[in-house]
Structures are given as C-alpha cells and as structure tokens.
C-alpha cells in the first residue's frame, strides 16, 4: 500500500526528522511543519470529521458466515502434522542453539508443534441454531477471525455523531481479541492512534517429512499476505521480520502457497479521518494492543508476542527465543520508517522475574503518558506481576538518543509504590487485573480492573443471580489511587476505593438476537479516558469486560459507560450522581467495543 501525503516533501521530511531525533538533533520547527498528514483518499465519503468536544469509540463487527470456518478442517490453516486432524501427531522443529550453548553433540533443540482443528462452523452465536464460531477456541488455541475496524464518533452522552469505517483491505483487527484496538489521542491533540494487522511479505516455506515428523523452514520470501476480513488466526501470525517455525499459526487462509505474515501496524487518524500507517515487526505470534504518539513525535506501544512452542528453558538459549523475548512488551516506533528486524528494534525495558518465561513478564495491555513519563499496565498471562509500571526515568520519555548503554531495552522499570508487587497478583481468583490507566493529576490515578472473569454458577446476591466470583466483586471496576506521603516521608500509592455502582457486576443482561444461554454479565472495565471538569470532578469513560459461558468471552457484546467522581474525595459518594456508572452505549450482537478516546482536533476546522 502506497501512502501519499499532501505535499510530496512531507514524508521525506518526517523520515529525516525521525532519523535526526535518534541522533538527538531534531530541530524544534520540524514538528510544526509536519502537522498535516493525509492518506491517498477519504475512507468514508459519509464521514466529515470528528466533532469538537466529542469522544471516539473503537470496535469491530463480525461479518463472517457459516462458510468462514469448515468443521473438521485443520486449524490454523497451513499447520502441518500427520495423523487425523482431531488427534494429530505433533511435528518437530529443530531450532538452532546459540553458539555459546552448542556442544559437539548438540547444535539444536527440539520443539513440538501441534495443530488444532475446527469444531464448529463460522456462524456467530444466534437464536436460530446452536452454532457458535467461538467454540473453535477450545480446539484451536490461536483462534480468531479478522474483522473490520470501526470508529464511532459520539457525544459525551453516547449519541452517534458519525462513523468512520476503516477499509479492511488496508488494516484489520481480530475478532475476538479483547485486548486489541485501544484508542489514544496524541499528545498534541491532533490525531488518534491504534494498532492492527497489515499483510507483509510471507514467511519461508515449511516442509514436513511424514516419516520423521520433522518440520523444516526454507529460506524463500513468500508473496504479500492479504489484508482482509474473515482471515483465520491473523492475531497469532508471525510478523514478516520474525518468522517463527514453531508457531502453529502458519497461514491465514486455506490453500496459501506460503506461510502468511502480518505487520503489527500503527494507524494514525487525523481530525478529518485521514489515515497513515507505520509498519512494525514486534509482537510476532500475538497481538499489538495500544499505541500513543508523544510530544516528541515518536510512537510508544504495548503488546505481547510468541505463540510458538519454545519453552521457558529454550527461550534464552536460542536466537529465535532471544529475538522473540526482545520484541514484545513496550516498543518505540519512528513514524514512516521501515520496520526494524528483531532483535534490532526498540523494545523498552526488558526484564524477567525469577522462574518466568522470557518475554512474558512484559505482557502489557494498558498504557498512558503523563508528565512526559511512560506508564504501562500488565493484567493477563501466567507469568510476572500484574500491576502498573513506570518505564524509564521520570519526566524523560525513552528514545534511542537518551537511552542507557545497550539501548532502550535497558531502560529501568519500576512498579509504582503501593501497587501489587508479588506474583500473587497474577492469574488467580481475586488477583489484580489492571487494564486502562488515566491520571487526573499527579496524585490521582484511575485504573480499570477487568476482573478475573471467572464464571460462577448457582449464586444469588441481593435476590439476583450473579455469575461473578468474590474476587471480581471485591476489586473489579474503576479503582481510584492517591499518591500519599507516609509518616517516614516516603511517597506511596494508596487505593482509596473502587467505583462499581451502576456496573451491575455479575448480573447477566440480554442482547437482542443473542442466545440467552450465553448472555454476558459485566466483569469490570478495560480501556478508559477521562476529562477533568471545572468543578473539581473528573468524568471517566470506560469500555466494559464481560463474564459468560461463551466459547470466548472477548466476543461478548459489551458496553461503553461513564462515571463522574470528585477528584479530592477519599470515599465514594453515597448519594447523587457522583460515583454511579451510566451506560451510554451498548454493543449489538456481532459487535464489540474496544477503546475510547477524546476526539482529535486541529487548528483549521473552525467550521466543524
């Protein structure tokens, strides 16, 4: 895809400016000269720009049908095993060891690759029959279906003002990856950013020896992979610069001539809906989640990688494992530059806690930049510590120019004092599951906790059936944290309270044309954004998480909610309109909400 800009020199100016930034020489006037960027055409002729003072909601709509998936077929497509699809014989990939770990008798380490299969067709859950495409998640650990991205422009009360349909031949997301499509407004307020998938050069051919079950990877580069809706397991695909032969997500469609590969790409949308793209090779084998454009005109992102078969012991002793563990977590991207090839990219703060799998302790989902400092949240996975981290030095955003010796990968990391700091917070009932984070000021931080999402049967609370467990009911929702000074003079964050009123945690709600047997209930909240009001309150907008018996609760229709809180309060309000959530928009069957942000604005839209 060729990206055209309104002046022929603009892209070269941006690329040159980014390169100068890496050397520490960026001229202050460059950013002001490059405020306008445009794609080569308007994406939606009915869209006339985002309204001033409004909000933007990101999401996706499932457009597959029964034929999208064929029951009994091998999944992911292109995965190579012998034997029946429902009980295959795993393939073996001999992955080269690092030279320092090789011996005369051992230069490789064996990794098994097991394929899955389709256990249902491609129908979205409906009231006409019992099919459910998300049943396939139980038989294909990589399962997802690519789908179009939608940006809904809403009033602050949830009224629809306009809809930007992002072309799915340019970028897609994965239904039902619940952690994707976070939406952030740039530091200068002029644009929105999100991440998705764009097809790149395919990976080398894989060949299976049916006698030995040994799988080998060639050296050729495949054709450009398609970007479209209804592709399978794109969110688990390799990136073009990091082709993992142990990843079962080989191809995105049946009959592909080569393994497919997808960039984890940044989309930047201006106030008029024009889009530009920057490609990346990070997050191979998993999903990119959020990205912010800072005042320095660099992109900062978070995500996860590695759906391959390398064990925690094999990760640090193979080049493949080293590359994967150093191209995940928090990353830095330079707009419009060619994607770096791992591990020579700009990962920020690499760390591994004792006994954990390298690359999984940095499985970040939420992020924000406040006072020129990068903060991220980890709230999923079985490794590491689920908590809120500060990456880099306070007041100094990491860049290649100011990085410590060895690069941005060696930037320091800090768990915010007072936040969970042990593995007990991770992947357990009642644990910590932070997602979106937003600072109202330097001493007040709001954190959305999505809950553990454990479905609890046969439970009645306040004379209503309730499917949330005790851990979710205790801490899920919007947490308010205050920075306080201890008697010893140290500063620490204290959780003042959790705002839950109006969320109706654990209480199932009906969705038209959706099966009653898998009706969802709100489990907490995910991505958020807030506004500080003139009266000392803050209004926070949040996207909810869900609990259900669906095959993948990330596919459940969820909600956009808002709540207003007194920033100085140390206890939740008991009466009145404060600290009570209001639902301002509900997803329909086949629709999910992902991110929310304030609408972008520019200086030339006085007539909007």
């Amino acid at each position: 895809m060729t990206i055209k800009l309104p002046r022929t020199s603009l892209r070269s100016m941006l690329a040159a400016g980014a390169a100068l930034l890496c050397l520490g020489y960026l001229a202050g006037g460059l950013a002001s000269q490059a405020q306008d960027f445009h794609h080569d055409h308007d994406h939606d002729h009915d869209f006339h720009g985002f309204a001033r003072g409004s909000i933007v909601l990101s999401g996706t709509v499932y457009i597959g049908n029964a034929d999208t998936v064929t029951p009994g077929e091998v999944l992911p497509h292109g995965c190579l095993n012998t034997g029946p699809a429902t009980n295959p014989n795993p393939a073996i990939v001999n992955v080269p060891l690092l030279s320092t770990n090789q011996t005369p008798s051992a230069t490789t380490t064996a990794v098994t690759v097991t394929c899955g299969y389709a256990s249902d067709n491609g129908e979205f859950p409906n009231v006409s029959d019992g099919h459910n495409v998300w049943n396939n998640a139980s038989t294909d650990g990589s399962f997802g279906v690519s789908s179009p991205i939608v940006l809904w422009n809403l009033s602050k009360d949830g009224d629809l003002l306009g809809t930007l349909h992002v072309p799915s031949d340019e970028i897609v997301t994965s239904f039902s990856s619940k952690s994707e499509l976070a939406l952030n407004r740039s530091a200068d307020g002029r644009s929105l950013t999100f991440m998705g998938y764009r097809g790149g050069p395919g990976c080398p051919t894989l060949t299976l020896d049916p006698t030995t079950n040994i799988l080998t990877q060639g050296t050729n580069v495949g054709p450009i992979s398609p970007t479209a809706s209804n592709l399978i397991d794109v969110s688990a695909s390799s990136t073009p610069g990091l082709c993992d032969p142990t990843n079962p997500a080989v191809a995105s469609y049946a009959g592909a001539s080569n393994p497919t590969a997808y960039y984890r790409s940044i989309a930047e949308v201006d106030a008029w809906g024009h889009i530009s793209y920057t490609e990346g090779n990070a997050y191979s084998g998993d999903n990119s989640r959020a990205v912010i454009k800072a005042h320095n005109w660099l992109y900062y992102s978070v995500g996860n990688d590695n759906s391959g078969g390398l064990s925690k012991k094999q990760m640090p002793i193979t080049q493949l494992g080293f590359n994967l563990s150093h191209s995940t977590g928090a990353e830095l991207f330079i707009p419009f530059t060619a994607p770096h090839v791992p591990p020579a990219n700009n990962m920020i703060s690499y760390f591994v806690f004792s006994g954990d799998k390298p690359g999984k302790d940095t499985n970040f989902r939420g992020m924000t930049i406040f006072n020129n400092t990068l903060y991220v949240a980890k709230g999923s996975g079985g490794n590491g510590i689920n908590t809120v981290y500060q990456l880099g030095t306070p007041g100094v955003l990491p860049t290649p120019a100011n990085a410590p010796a060895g690069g941005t990968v060696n930037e320091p990391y800090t768990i915010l004092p007072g936040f969970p700091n042990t593995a007990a917070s991770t992947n357990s009932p009642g644990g910590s599951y932070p997602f979106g984070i937003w600072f109202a000021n330097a001493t007040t931080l709001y954190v959305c906790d999505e809950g553990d999402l454990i479905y609890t049967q046969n439970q009645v609370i306040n004379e209503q059936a309730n499917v949330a467990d005790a851990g979710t009911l205790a801490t899920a929702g919007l947490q308010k944290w205050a920075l306080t000074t201890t008697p010893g003079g140290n500063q620490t964050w204290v959780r003042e309270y959790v705002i839950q009123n109006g969320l109706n945690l654990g209480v199932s709600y009906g969705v038209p044309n959706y099966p009653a047997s898998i009706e969802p209930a709100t489990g907490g909240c995910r991505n958020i954004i807030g506004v500080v009001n003139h009266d000392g309150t803050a209004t926070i907008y949040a996207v909810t998480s869900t609990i259900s018996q669906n095959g993948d609760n990330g596919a459940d229709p969820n909600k956009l909610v808002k709540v207003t809180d007194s920033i100085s309060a140390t206890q939740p309000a008991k009466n009145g309109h404060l600290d009570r959530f209001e639902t301002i928009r509900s997803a329909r069957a086949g629709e999910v909400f992902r991110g929310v942000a304030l609408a972008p604005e520019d200086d030339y839209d006085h007539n909007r």
Side-chain angles (χ1 to χ4, degrees):
M1 170 60 61
T2 300
I3 300 172
K4 297 179 182 178
L5 300 171
R7 292 186 291 271
T8 57
S9 61
L10 181 53
R11 181 168 179 170
S12 60
M13 290 167 58
L14 282 168
L20 288 174
L21 177 62
C22 294
L23 298 173
Y25 302 124
L26 181 62
L30 176 63
S32 63
Q33 296 174 30
Q35 289 173 348
D36 293 330
F37 66 93
H38 295 275
H39 195 265
D40 55 348
H41 61 274
D42 287 341
H43 290 311
D44 194 325
H45 295 295
D46 295 327
F47 183 77
H48 303 292
F50 297 105
R52 279 185 177 270
S54 63
I55 60 175
V56 183
L57 175 67
S58 66
T60 186
V61 178
Y62 185 77
I63 62 172
N65 56 36
D67 295 334
T68 301
V69 182
T70 302
E73 67 180 341
V74 172
L75 292 179
H77 291 303
C79 188
L80 298 174
N81 281 176
T82 59
T86 57
N87 187 27
N89 302 310
I92 300 170
V93 179
N94 291 314
V95 178
L97 295 165
L98 291 168
S99 58
T100 54
N101 296 99
Q102 293 182 6
T103 67
S105 59
T107 59
T108 63
T109 180
V111 179
T112 59
V113 180
T114 303
C115 306
Y117 67 96
S119 51
D120 207 332
N121 68 17
E123 288 182 64
F124 197 83
N126 61 86
V127 296
S128 299
D129 58 42
H131 288 294
N132 182 347
V133 63
W134 312 117
N135 289 336
N136 291 298
S138 65
T139 53
D140 172 14
S142 304
F143 190 73
V145 182
S146 63
S147 53
I149 297 167
V150 184
L151 301 181
W152 292 280
N153 188 201
L154 307 174
S155 74
K156 290 183 176 177
D157 291 322
D159 298 320
L160 184 63
L161 305 176
T163 304
L164 178 61
H165 298 277
V166 180
S168 55
D169 60 351
E170 295 184 8
I171 191 168
V172 291
T173 189
S174 178
F175 211 117
S176 60
S177 297
K178 62 188 180 184
S179 58
E180 295 182 4
L181 274 189
L183 200 60
N184 288 289
R185 190 165 76 165
S186 61
D188 64 6
R190 294 177 178 275
S191 62
L192 300 174
T193 48
F194 62 86
M195 297 192 75
Y197 305 95
R198 282 165 56 86
C203 289
T205 301
L206 296 172
T207 303
L208 180 67
D209 185 327
T211 303
T212 63
N213 264 0
I214 292 177
L215 188 67
T216 57
Q217 184 181 52
T219 59
N220 66 305
V221 176
I224 299 297
S225 304
T227 303
S229 297
N230 295 337
L231 300 172
I232 305 300
D233 296 341
V234 168
S235 63
S237 65
S238 291
T239 56
L242 186 43
C243 293
D244 180 1
T246 75
N247 182 358
V250 175
S252 59
Y253 62 99
S257 60
N258 260 74
T260 51
Y262 288 83
Y263 291 118
R264 274 48 172 179
S265 299
I266 295 167
E268 183 172 1
V269 189
D270 72 5
W272 298 96
H274 306 125
I275 307 178
S276 68
Y277 300 104
T278 296
E279 321 289 28
N281 279 312
Y283 313 123
S284 183
D286 213 304
N287 56 354
S288 51
R289 293 164 175 172
V291 60
I292 300 176
K293 188 178 185 181
H295 277 299
N296 60 14
W297 277 65
L298 296 178
Y299 297 127
Y300 294 84
S301 69
V302 292
N304 188 32
D305 80 351
N306 189 12
S307 292
L310 288 169
S311 68
K312 69 173 64 175
K313 292 182 178 180
Q314 292 171 318
M315 288 288 290
I317 62 174
T318 61
Q319 187 65 55
L320 175 61
F322 183 86
N323 292 353
L324 286 165
S325 63
H326 286 73
S327 58
T328 185
E331 296 274 344
L332 183 152
F333 291 81
I334 301 170
F336 305 130
T337 57
H340 293 287
V341 177
N345 51 311
N346 293 313
M347 183 180 179
I348 301 171
S349 301
Y350 172 82
F351 56 89
V352 182
F353 296 119
S354 177
D356 281 349
K357 187 173 184 177
K360 291 301 183 180
D361 290 337
T362 52
N363 177 9
F364 302 136
R365 303 191 296 181
M367 69 182 307
T368 192
I369 293 174
F370 182 76
N371 281 348
N372 215 43
T373 305
L374 178 62
Y375 298 91
V376 298
K378 180 188 178 299
S380 66
N383 291 270
I385 298 174
N386 284 2
T387 192
V388 179
Y389 297 84
Q390 172 196 298
L391 302 185
T393 304
V396 182
L397 283 175
T399 71
N402 65 27
T408 56
V409 71
N410 292 324
E411 288 284 353
Y413 73 94
T414 304
I415 294 175
L416 296 192
F419 275 78
N421 59 7
T422 70
S425 68
T426 302
N427 200 30
S428 59
S432 178
Y433 298 89
F435 212 112
I437 49 181
W438 178 72
F439 284 88
N441 55 41
T443 59
T444 309
L445 173 60
Y446 292 92
V447 178
C448 251
D449 189 297
E450 74 166 342
D452 58 34
L453 308 185
I454 296 173
Y455 189 93
T456 304
Q457 295 183 344
N458 304 319
Q459 176 177 253
V460 176
I461 299 175
N462 295 329
E463 300 182 349
Q464 277 187 307
N466 193 299
V467 298
D469 69 355
T472 291
L473 293 172
T475 60
L478 184 62
Q479 299 178 355
K480 181 181 185 178
W481 293 74
L483 186 62
T484 61
T485 303
T486 68
N490 297 317
Q491 287 194 315
T492 188
W493 289 93
V494 175
R495 192 178 72 199
E496 299 279 12
Y497 48 89
V498 185
I499 304 173
Q500 298 177 327
N501 192 12
L503 285 179
N504 298 319
L505 295 178
V507 179
S508 298
Y509 54 87
V511 178
N513 303 312
Y514 200 69
S517 61
I518 57 171
E519 282 182 347
T522 297
C525 56
R526 292 182 179 133
N527 287 306
I528 58 172
I529 191 57
V531 177
V532 176
N533 304 313
H534 296 299
D535 61 357
T537 64
T539 300
I540 296 96
Y541 301 85
V543 172
T544 62
S545 61
T546 57
I547 308 168
S548 75
Q549 291 185 299
N550 196 359
D552 185 337
N553 58 26
D556 294 332
N558 57 343
K559 299 179 180 183
L560 175 65
V561 296
K562 74 173 183 178
V563 67
T564 300
D565 178 56
S566 174
I567 296 174
S568 62
T570 58
Q571 296 290 330
K574 301 297 184 182
N575 300 298
H577 73 284
L578 295 180
D579 298 332
R580 180 176 180 81
F581 276 101
E582 173 189 357
T583 298
I584 61 173
R585 194 165 186 84
S586 297
R588 297 170 293 185
E591 188 177 78
V592 289
F593 301 153
R594 294 297 183 234
V596 60
L598 303 180
E601 299 178 356
D602 65 38
D603 294 336
Y604 307 103
D605 61 351
H606 303 297
N607 294 325
R608 285 205 290 123

